Amino acid sequence: MRASLEIKNLNVMIGDKQIIKDFSLTIPKSEVHAIMGPNGTGKSTLAKALAGHPDYEITSGDALIDGESIINLEVDERSRAGLFLAFQYPMEIPGVSIANFIRAARNARLPEGEDLDAPAYYKELYEKMDRLKIDRKFTSRSINEGFSGGEKKRCEILQLAMLNPKYAILDETDSGLDIDALKIVSEGVNALRGPELGALVITHYQRLLDYIVPDKVHVMYDGRIVKSGDKSLALELESKGYDWIKEIAENAA
Amino acid sequence: MEAEAGFDESIRYAFQNHMDSLNTVPKWWREFKTNAFDSYANMPMPRRNDENWRFANRNNLSLGKFQFDRDTVSPNVSSLVEKSRFTGTQAGGFVIADNKIVQANRAPKELTDQGVIWSPLSEAIVEHSDLLRDYFMKQGIDLGSEKFAHIHSAFVTNGVLLYIPKGIEVEAPFCSYNWSTSENGSMFPHTLVIAEANAKASVVEAQLSEGEQSVFSCGVTHLFAGVGSELNYTLIQNLNENTLGFQINSNIAGKDSTVSMNSIILGCGHYRSETHGQIKGSGAHVDMRSMALANAAQEIDQRTLQTHSAPHTTSNLLFKNALKENSKSIFSGLIKVDEVAQQTDAYQTNRNLLLSNTAEANSLPGLEIEANDVKCSHGATTSEIQEEEIFYMLARGIPKDTAEELILYGFFEEILENIVDEKLSDCTRQLIRKKFGS
């Protein structure tokens, strides 16, 4: 069996409202898939439910990392099992520096009693910050506090690069970015592409996919995938608009 | 009779014993103590309607069970000395156990040759009597614990005196470690710092317990900052939770001086602290910072006053409390700006982080401004750890307890980042970690 992030017949409720409806998708490792869709269709809900947010209840279905179910794991266990979520709105945490935050995350991945090699850690951190054009002074700044939209998203990609997950979900990483920031972030993601990472890129706009070119594009509407295709689907969607998707969804129903 | 409430005749007897035990002290010292005891005995306990005791528990302030005249020294002195090493370097250090000096690290000769005085109070009373007579307990006590300041004066026997002459700058801190070791004992830590013009020094004081015995601790710290001088004082209070603790701090900031008072508060069952920044010289700047981590049924009661009585002065107060379990904090702070103190900037901030839904934070900020050209603000917030912050950290694989600990450190960072000595900073963080994990 090929290694993959496999989502099987997933149903997710927020309160008494069903948002994700019998959703299935398999992202083989090494591939980048994109999910597009109008606002309110459940894209971010899917991301948060997979990460284990307590407000999002998985009522049935399963999600598996390389064949192992993760839906009964705690949030931190899912992360350590290899799932990474780049947040649409990263939290500001006063007084917790980027360096200490990522260090705590790395420490959590070490076996009991083993300590992080601090010089090697900082060397790696600085290299990856340089690549993402994040000023080294940011290491001692409180995470996301007072950061611009672009700085927050670059910081998310820095964490992605530092934590080496098996699968990454990028939730609207392009939102709030100008074209320069978008390029930097995309280059950062592209540098991580390869046989060891599978990625799911969630976006509202086709623009991001000019820079992070996906292997597959899925269009989501009302909690499920209504159309899948290659990268040309994103362009088609861009020209025809989401009303086209609505028609497809309604004809299918 | 109200005046006698909380007064126990055994204390008068103890005071007589205490006075009898003083041998070669100056006459003024005896008179000072006698007057202080009379004032203590005649002053009523704090009353329910005292503004300075609002929200405070007054039910456990009785001193009847404590012994004031016991003459004991802990048998394991060497272990206390071993544990009295919080800083990387020191210009001098005294370890005091139950009011007795158990180890003395004197100031180096090059400093004493320049006129620096670093002395245990017990010696200073004899050797620097005139200096003490001018400065000892000469800053007003005006935030509610007058009665307790009097009992401090009546029974105080030890502590430290630091005198820095004009123009002398000392980088390494002077350290004072005050240990309590006796069941139902009492201790009266005293720190008196006098900096002459353009002098510079820092002092680290620790108040610590050996064992879990119930103790009454009543400390006073007075800083006198001369013209253009720079003083930095840090208190680490980690007494056990069976301790009833008082700490009365005050500083007088002269022209163009810089004073920084930092408190790290972890211990005591009931802790009352008062801090008065008296900004008396133009161009002076005073920082008053505190962090407290409380758990169980601890009560941390803090009263502050920033008095500006000269123009072009600034003061900045930041008190942060994190409260676990059933603990409780009270912060009552006042900024007073006299009519002459134009172009004053004075800020007061109290932030409380509730770590349980049974913890309680009370905040009473206040301003009294008579000058018309000033910038003053006060703010108080009480919040809980945000679920979304925790989720963000969990989503990075950080376990929940580590996430909460990181957030707590983050909350205290604004205070801890001001601790210059790296070892002291590490020690403080370890004490916080130990307490947070308990």
Side-chain angles (χ1 to χ4, degrees):
Chain A
M1 194 197 79
R2 260 180 92 187
S4 65
L5 171 62
E6 195 180 359
I7 305 162
K8 288 202 317 208
N9 306 101
L10 199 71
N11 286 283
V12 178
M13 311 268 290
I14 302 177
D16 55 9
K17 194 161 181 241
Q18 183 161 10
I19 309 291
I20 303 296
K21 298 168 182 169
D22 204 33
F23 184 103
S24 294
L25 176 64
T26 297
I27 301 154
K29 214 173 199 178
S30 82
E31 289 188 13
V32 173
H33 288 210
I35 288 187
M36 301 183 70
N39 287 329
T41 206
K43 303 189 300 294
S44 288
T45 298
L46 176 69
K48 288 208 169 162
L50 290 174
H53 193 290
D55 291 349
Y56 300 74
E57 189 195 352
I58 295 177
T59 50
S60 67
D62 206 351
L64 306 101
I65 287 181
D66 300 344
E68 298 283 330
S69 174
I70 59 164
I71 62 166
N72 291 319
L73 297 181
E74 298 295 333
V75 180
D76 56 325
E77 293 170 332
R78 294 183 196 198
S79 168
R80 296 196 298 272
L83 185 69
F84 183 90
L85 171 61
F87 281 56
Q88 184 179 3
Y89 303 109
M91 291 301 296
E92 300 185 5
I93 305 176
V96 179
S97 70
I98 289 185
N100 285 343
F101 182 73
I102 299 177
R103 193 175 172 156
R106 286 278 287 261
N107 265 326
R109 287 164 168 78
L110 294 175
E112 187 86 31
E114 205 172 296
D115 273 333
L116 199 70
D117 175 354
Y121 165 74
Y122 275 96
K123 187 166 176 278
E124 183 187 343
L125 182 65
Y126 286 142
E127 279 171 11
K128 289 178 172 166
M129 288 176 84
D130 292 349
R131 208 175 301 158
L132 287 160
K133 300 190 169 61
I134 302 172
D135 193 319
R136 289 184 180 194
K137 285 188 203 120
F138 270 62
T139 45
S140 57
R141 279 189 56 180
S142 295
I143 194 142
N144 297 321
E145 198 181 33
F147 288 18
S148 70
E151 286 164 347
K152 283 184 182 171
K153 295 301 168 73
R154 273 185 275 164
C155 182
E156 291 294 287
I157 304 306
L158 175 65
Q159 294 172 47
L160 168 61
M162 290 297 291
L163 297 181
N164 300 310
K166 294 174 180 156
Y167 299 96
I169 303 169
L170 279 63
D171 188 7
E172 307 241 1
T173 294
D174 51 332
S175 69
L177 294 190
D178 61 27
I179 194 74
D180 292 332
L182 187 67
K183 279 183 185 167
I184 295 167
V185 164
S186 302
E187 279 166 21
V189 174
N190 288 331
L192 300 170
R193 288 179 77 159
E196 297 308 316
L197 181 72
L200 180 62
V201 177
I202 293 172
T203 183
H204 185 74
Y205 299 104
Q206 188 268 335
R207 188 180 70 154
L208 176 67
L209 305 182
D210 287 341
Y211 298 96
I212 304 175
V213 179
D215 298 299
K216 289 232 168 68
V217 173
H218 309 279
V219 181
M220 192 169 170
Y221 185 78
D222 192 25
R224 54 170 71 90
I225 289 173
V226 292
K227 196 167 174 57
S228 297
D230 62 14
K231 63 184 177 185
S232 64
L233 178 58
L235 292 167
E236 192 178 1
L237 186 64
E238 180 89 342
S239 64
K240 294 185 176 169
Y242 281 121
D243 281 345
W244 171 57
I245 289 308
K246 206 172 157 187
E247 278 169 36
I248 294 172
E250 277 159 9
N251 291 340
Chain B
M1 202 172 115
E2 177 112 32
E4 297 290 39
F7 185 73
D8 191 306
E9 273 307 311
S10 69
I11 297 180
R12 188 181 299 280
Y13 180 73
F15 181 69
Q16 286 311 324
N17 281 343
H18 170 68
M19 293 302 283
D20 292 346
S21 72
L22 301 176
N23 297 321
T24 55
V25 298
K27 188 162 164 261
W28 74 265
W29 182 247
R30 289 185 175 276
E31 285 169 4
F32 167 80
K33 283 185 158 274
T34 305
N35 291 338
F37 186 81
D38 288 345
S39 300
Y40 163 76
N42 291 328
M43 197 170 268
M45 286 295 268
R47 288 180 242 229
R48 191 173 58 85
N49 54 359
D50 285 351
E51 184 59 28
N52 280 325
W53 286 84
R54 221 172 138 200
F55 296 124
N57 178 9
R58 294 168 303 107
N59 295 329
N60 54 3
L61 300 178
S62 168
L63 306 180
K65 72 170 175 177
F66 300 110
Q67 289 174 309
F68 293 85
D69 56 343
R70 194 156 55 189
D71 192 18
T72 56
V73 171
S74 157
N76 46 5
V77 162
S78 60
S79 104
L80 297 185
V81 169
E82 194 64 33
K83 286 186 269 187
S84 300
R85 288 175 189 162
F86 284 16
T87 62
T89 56
Q90 59 173 29
F94 294 115
V95 181
I96 301 169
D98 294 335
N99 309 301
K100 296 256 187 317
I101 300 286
V102 296
Q103 199 204 33
N105 286 325
R106 306 282 168 175
K109 189 166 179 298
E110 63 261 31
L111 290 181
T112 53
D113 283 351
Q114 289 175 305
V116 170
I117 300 170
W118 168 244
S119 169
L121 194 65
S122 50
E123 289 175 16
I125 292 156
V126 180
E127 290 167 17
H128 305 285
S129 171
D130 290 347
L131 189 65
L132 281 187
R133 199 170 181 172
D134 287 345
Y135 287 97
F136 196 81
M137 293 300 282
K138 291 293 195 220
Q139 298 192 17
I141 309 293
D142 35 26
L143 286 166
S145 287
E146 291 82 349
K147 186 176 175 77
F148 298 92
H150 288 310
I151 199 167
H152 173 92
S153 295
F155 284 100
V156 66
T157 52
N158 236 321
V160 296
L161 165 68
L162 176 64
Y163 173 84
I164 309 280
K166 191 174 167 181
I168 304 297
E169 298 187 6
V170 185
E171 283 301 323
F174 291 89
C175 302
S176 158
Y177 297 89
N178 297 276
W179 289 91
S180 91
T181 71
S182 305
E183 180 65 29
N184 294 329
S186 57
M187 73 172 192
F188 303 94
H190 194 102
T191 299
L192 173 58
V193 181
I194 304 155
E196 296 284 11
N198 302 313
K200 183 180 169 185
S202 63
V203 175
V204 173
E205 174 171 356
Q207 298 177 357
L208 308 159
S209 297
E210 177 75 345
E212 293 303 317
Q213 66 286 347
S214 169
V215 166
F216 172 57
S217 172
C218 184
V220 171
T221 293
H222 282 175
L223 311 181
F224 291 85
V227 176
S229 66
E230 200 178 321
L231 283 180
N232 187 310
Y233 169 79
T234 303
L235 171 70
I236 316 280
Q237 188 272 98
N238 193 32
L239 294 160
N240 72 35
E241 292 187 14
N242 298 315
T243 301
L244 168 62
F246 281 75
Q247 180 65 29
I248 301 166
N249 299 317
S250 179
N251 62 70
I252 292 179
K255 187 173 183 296
D256 297 324
S257 65
T258 306
V259 178
S260 169
M261 287 192 107
N262 309 299
S263 298
I264 312 297
I265 295 162
L266 298 168
C268 287
H270 184 174
Y271 187 65
R272 163 92 178 189
S273 90
E274 300 177 4
T275 305
H276 187 179
Q278 307 183 49
I279 303 103
K280 292 197 169 179
S282 65
H285 175 76
V286 173
D287 279 309
M288 293 153 70
R289 305 185 194 93
S290 169
M291 61 134 285
L293 172 60
N295 65 6
Q298 273 187 289
E299 176 171 322
I300 308 295
D301 176 8
Q302 298 173 296
R303 315 278 159 163
T304 70
L305 183 56
Q306 294 150 269
T307 307
H308 289 258
S309 47
H312 303 286
T313 51
T314 54
S315 69
N316 208 338
L317 177 146
L318 178 62
F319 275 44
K320 299 189 98 168
N321 302 313
L323 305 169
K324 285 176 80 176
E325 296 159 5
N326 299 313
S327 61
K328 169 181 169 183
S329 71
I330 303 154
F331 170 82
S332 170
L334 181 65
I335 295 174
K336 263 176 145 169
V337 181
D338 292 353
E339 204 176 340
V340 296
Q342 299 293 0
Q343 273 113 44
T344 286
D345 287 3
Y347 304 102
Q348 180 202 88
T349 308
N350 167 229
R351 302 215 182 284
N352 303 303
L353 182 65
L354 301 180
L355 301 169
S356 88
N357 52 19
T358 48
E360 178 189 326
N362 303 277
S363 204
L364 297 159
L367 296 173
E368 254 181 52
I369 299 172
E370 286 171 24
N372 53 24
D373 181 15
V374 299
K375 274 189 240 167
C376 291
S377 74
H378 62 74
T381 56
T382 297
S383 58
E384 293 163 22
I385 291 182
Q386 303 298 308
E387 284 302 322
E388 292 299 320
E389 286 181 23
I390 293 285
F391 176 68
Y392 186 56
M393 299 177 95
L394 291 175
R396 295 296 173 252
I398 299 169
K400 193 162 188 226
D401 51 350
T402 310
E404 287 176 345
E405 198 176 301
L406 276 173
I407 288 172
L408 186 79
Y409 281 125
F411 177 71
F412 286 139
E413 188 55 34
E414 275 181 288
I415 307 296
L416 297 175
E417 69 187 6
N418 295 291
I419 299 179
V420 187
D421 187 288
E422 210 170 303
K423 190 175 173 196
L424 182 62
S425 176
D426 284 351
C427 280
T428 306
R429 283 163 210 268
Q430 275 170 33
L431 292 174
I432 295 169
R433 176 172 300 136
K434 197 172 161 200
K435 170 136 191 186
F436 186 66
S438 68

